[in-house]
């Protein structure tokens, strides 16, 4: 092989390497990735409310009236959204989230063997048990009710879904008694 042929081949290899390196550097300059503070995507959820006014005040349900067999069956269907992270069987094993057998009436952050977030441990210090009202509010928006929780689920927006899943969880080994019926509120006086 002559010196000229070797020079042509070496020059071609060198030029190819320079083009590849140059394109890689140019694309990293053009498509530079900014550093992010927190990994993930923020999902903005618009609160439903009256036409341009404040959101309507939600009244807690009368638990004595809504913990029915029909709601237990509906709650089992709603719980399908939760089985990716939680287990509902009597074995009460932990998954990505804690086991939810007998959760109604249990101390928050009290499932053995699960590593709860600091926010949930702080919440447990202020809340003696997971009662119906606390579960109802937590399931509405977990991240807002216990700010800093590791539970990334956005929540159940429909009141009937929250009532149904609480009725289902109550049927799973709960020892918390059903509260007595709430008295009917007196109608507002007519003017």
């Amino acid at each position: 092989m002559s010196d000229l042929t070797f020079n042509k081949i070496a020059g071609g290899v060198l030029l190819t390497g320079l083009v590849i390196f140059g394109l890689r550097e140019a694309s990293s300059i053009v498509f530079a990735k900014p550093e992010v503070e927190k990994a993930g995507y923020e999902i903005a959820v618009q609160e439903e409310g009256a036409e341009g006014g404040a959101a309507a005040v939600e009244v807690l349900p009368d638990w004595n009236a809504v913990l029915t067999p029909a709601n237990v069956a509906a709650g089992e269907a709603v719980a399908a959204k939760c089985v990716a992270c939680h287990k509902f069987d009597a074995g009460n094993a932990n998954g990505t989230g804690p086991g939810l057998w007998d959760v109604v009436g249990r101390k928050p952050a009290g499932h053995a063997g699960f590593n709860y977030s600091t926010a949930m441990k702080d919440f447990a210090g202020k809340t003696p048990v997971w009662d119906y009202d606390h579960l109802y509010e937590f399931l509405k928006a977990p991240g807002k009710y216990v700010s800093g929780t590791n539970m990334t689920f956005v929540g159940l927006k429909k009141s009937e879904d929250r009532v149904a899943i609480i009725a289902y969880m109550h049927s799973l080994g709960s020892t918390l008694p059903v509260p007595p019926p709430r008295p009917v509120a007196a109608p507002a006086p007519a003017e």
Side-chain angles (χ1 to χ4, degrees):
M1 176 164 36
S2 72
D3 287 337
L4 189 56
T5 305
F6 176 76
N7 287 344
K8 287 180 186 178
I9 293 172
V13 169
L14 182 61
L15 180 63
T16 303
L18 287 174
V19 167
I20 290 172
F21 179 76
L23 287 175
R24 188 185 69 163
E25 289 300 312
S27 66
S28 69
I29 291 170
V30 173
F31 302 109
K33 291 188 251 180
E35 291 293 324
V36 294
E37 289 181 24
K38 184 177 178 184
Y41 296 98
E42 181 177 351
I43 299 174
V45 178
Q46 182 176 353
E47 295 291 325
E48 295 180 21
E51 299 294 320
V57 176
E58 190 172 351
V59 179
L60 293 170
D62 181 2
W63 294 109
N64 191 281
V66 298
L67 295 176
T68 63
N71 277 336
V72 171
E76 191 171 1
V78 174
K81 296 177 182 180
C82 310
V83 297
C85 299
H86 297 282
K87 306 231 183 312
F88 289 90
D89 59 357
N92 212 12
N94 292 322
T96 305
L100 295 180
W101 183 269
D102 79 351
V103 71
V104 180
R106 184 170 70 203
K107 176 102 174 125
H111 190 275
F114 189 77
N115 186 21
Y116 289 95
S117 66
T118 304
M120 186 57 78
K121 290 175 187 174
D122 292 343
F123 176 77
K126 297 179 257 175
T127 309
V129 295
W130 275 121
D131 63 9
Y132 304 101
D133 294 340
H134 284 297
L135 281 169
Y136 185 81
E137 294 298 328
F138 181 73
L139 291 171
K140 181 178 182 180
K144 288 184 180 176
Y145 194 65
V146 179
S147 183
T149 183
N150 290 340
M151 187 167 164
T152 58
F153 182 64
V154 71
L156 298 170
K157 298 303 173 205
K158 294 182 181 176
S159 175
E160 58 269 15
D161 287 349
R162 285 179 270 151
V163 166
I165 197 164
I166 290 170
Y168 173 61
M169 289 190 300
H170 172 73
S171 73
L172 302 176
S174 172
T175 57
L176 189 67
V178 177
R182 290 196 176 141
V184 177
E191 293 190 31

